[in-house]
Amino acid sequence: MTGSLDLTVDPIELTAALVDFPSVSGDEQGLADAVQEALGRQAPHLELVRSGNAVLARTHLGRAARVIFAGHLDTVPINDNLPHRRTGEGDELVLHGCGTVDMKSGDAVALHLAATLPTPAYDMTFVFYDCEEIEAARNGLGRIERELPDWLAGDLAIVGEPSNVVIEAGCQGTMRVEVRTEGARAHTARAWMGSNAIHAMGEVLRRLRDYQPRTVDIDGCTYREGLQAVRIGGGVAGNVVPDECLLTVNHRFAPDRDPQQAQAHLRQVFDGFEVTVRDCAAGALPGLSAPLAKQLIASTGGAPAAKLGWTDVSRFAALGLPAVNFGPGDPTLAHTQQENVPAEQITRCTRLFEAFLRG
Ligand SMILES: [Zn+2]
């Protein structure tokens, strides 16, 4: 579908219109054009800029604080689930289709408020960006960070990813390490002449089995850490004592530790063994003690929850902004064929977001 968008209609209808604009990652141009055109026509109070297939808009009201809304325009590949479909009516209405959850309902809420609330209590920056669902190097928000950094300056970032309309904050870090044991090859008929590297890994597996992961509370969010063996390999042949065994371990760590501290912890756990870090992504502190974040929590009324996966919230956290996920839809339905969002969540999210922006 092409055509123009009406940002002033009920965000439920706006969600349906956005969903019917296919915008698989890399193919967002049509939707970005429509969003840019609609903002230009229906939100003339906003400064408007285009960056690739991202559309950026902001107020200049001279408010004491600035809130950034970030939402990606792209979706995962369509899976026989467009155009959108409806079931139920009234309070029971549900919208089905690619992007209903991840995350055109969140975009619809923000676009609607951008057009209908010209004088919010905070200055607002809206970032509708491309290529979130593919490799990080193409992420539109990363490009904006490099090319238009002042558009990401602010005091609080709200990423409209699905969160069942609950504030989700921070995220855990993740680190993969390889533990290696060494032995000496020998014929299994003369095993005493060798040393078995797989048997040597037994001690590492025992430490993993007995490991007690931490549960860490920060700003009212509970982070449950994890330390799990995820792959093991070793062995040469059916009659050879193996001389090497490799074990891959994934550690999910609470954001009170940085990657260096997490690494030091793992070296302690596997003391006496060879440990190599294969990859690592830092976590993000929830930052909910910041005044504006407290205001958001008060406006939305719910208890915040810890974010379990890694999202662009971490990108803002790395820039030093408190950042949360807040949007309609069940995150566990994201990327599934049966993606669907209850219309009631879109309405509730709009009401709570608007209450916050009215101050
Ligand atoms: Zn998403």
Side-chain angles (χ1 to χ4, degrees):
M1 188 195 126
T2 54
S4 74
L5 294 167
D6 185 350
L7 307 181
T8 63
V9 297
D10 188 308
I12 298 168
E13 296 310 316
L14 183 53
T15 299
L18 294 174
V19 167
D20 286 348
F21 249 108
S23 58
V24 177
S25 309
D27 225 350
E28 305 93 335
Q29 187 177 347
L31 180 56
D33 288 349
V35 165
Q36 184 179 8
E37 187 276 331
L39 283 170
R41 179 166 39 85
Q42 296 189 306
H45 58 283
L46 297 173
E47 179 193 0
L48 196 58
V49 151
R50 177 76 173 248
S51 157
N53 284 334
V55 181
L56 301 91
R58 65 184 169 190
T59 60
H60 291 286
L61 298 166
R63 303 285 198 246
R66 177 173 291 277
V67 175
I68 299 175
F69 171 88
H72 61 83
L73 294 175
D74 60 319
T75 68
V76 294
I78 297 155
N79 188 7
D80 238 343
N81 51 2
L82 279 192
H84 83 279
R85 218 160 42 76
R86 295 171 192 237
T87 55
E89 281 170 45
D91 292 349
E92 306 289 308
L93 175 65
V94 176
L95 299 184
H96 303 256
C98 185
T100 48
V101 166
D102 190 9
M103 54 167 284
K104 290 179 174 176
S105 49
D107 289 333
V109 169
L111 283 166
H112 179 75
L113 293 175
T116 58
L117 200 65
T119 56
Y122 315 104
D123 268 307
M124 286 296 303
T125 302
F126 297 94
V127 181
F128 301 100
Y129 63 103
D130 54 310
C131 291
E132 190 271 349
E133 299 288 7
I134 49 173
E135 65 268 25
R138 290 177 63 191
N139 186 304
L141 204 53
R143 183 185 65 245
I144 292 161
E145 190 182 336
R146 290 188 299 275
E147 296 175 5
L148 299 166
D150 67 302
W151 281 81
L152 301 188
D155 303 282
L156 173 72
I158 299 173
V159 178
E161 292 276 4
S163 71
N164 279 318
V165 204
V166 167
I167 299 282
E168 290 186 335
C171 71
Q172 303 214 101
T174 177
M175 174 174 293
R176 245 176 301 276
V177 300
E178 215 165 61
V179 184
R180 180 173 174 274
T181 51
E182 215 179 83
R185 288 191 199 187
H187 197 298
T188 48
R190 294 177 293 275
W192 62 88
M193 300 185 71
S195 146
N196 192 310
I198 293 179
H199 294 185
M201 197 58 88
E203 167 62 13
V204 177
L205 294 174
R206 187 194 61 74
R207 290 187 200 176
L208 282 169
R209 187 197 60 202
D210 295 342
Y211 182 79
Q212 299 291 334
R214 296 188 309 155
T215 297
V216 181
D217 278 292
I218 309 169
D219 290 351
C221 298
T222 303
Y223 297 89
R224 293 185 61 179
E225 296 194 325
L227 186 65
Q228 292 290 314
V230 292
R231 179 171 293 131
I232 189 163
V236 183
N239 56 359
V240 178
V241 174
D243 59 348
E244 185 183 65
C245 181
L246 287 172
L247 175 74
T248 308
V249 177
N250 183 210
H251 182 34
R252 299 282 167 152
F253 54 97
D256 65 327
R257 282 185 179 160
D258 65 22
Q260 285 72 32
Q261 291 168 315
Q263 190 189 140
H265 173 64
L266 290 192
R267 291 197 184 280
Q268 206 169 29
V269 171
F270 301 123
D271 185 35
F273 292 90
E274 187 183 324
V275 174
T276 310
V277 177
R278 287 300 173 203
D279 60 63
C280 179
L285 284 165
L288 296 182
S289 51
L292 211 51
K294 282 184 173 165
Q295 197 93 44
L296 179 66
I297 291 166
S299 303
T300 54
K307 179 82 201 141
L308 294 181
W310 201 95
T311 76
D312 275 326
V313 159
S314 311
R315 205 181 281 276
F316 285 105
L319 291 173
L321 270 77
V324 301
N325 275 316
F326 182 64
D330 178 350
T332 64
L333 290 175
H335 304 190
T336 68
Q337 187 179 29
Q338 65 272 25
E339 206 178 326
N340 69 81
V341 64
E344 170 276 326
Q345 285 206 14
I346 302 175
T347 303
R348 188 151 44 94
C349 186
T350 308
R351 188 162 46 75
L352 295 174
F353 204 161
E354 182 171 353
F356 169 63
L357 292 184
R358 286 190 187 280

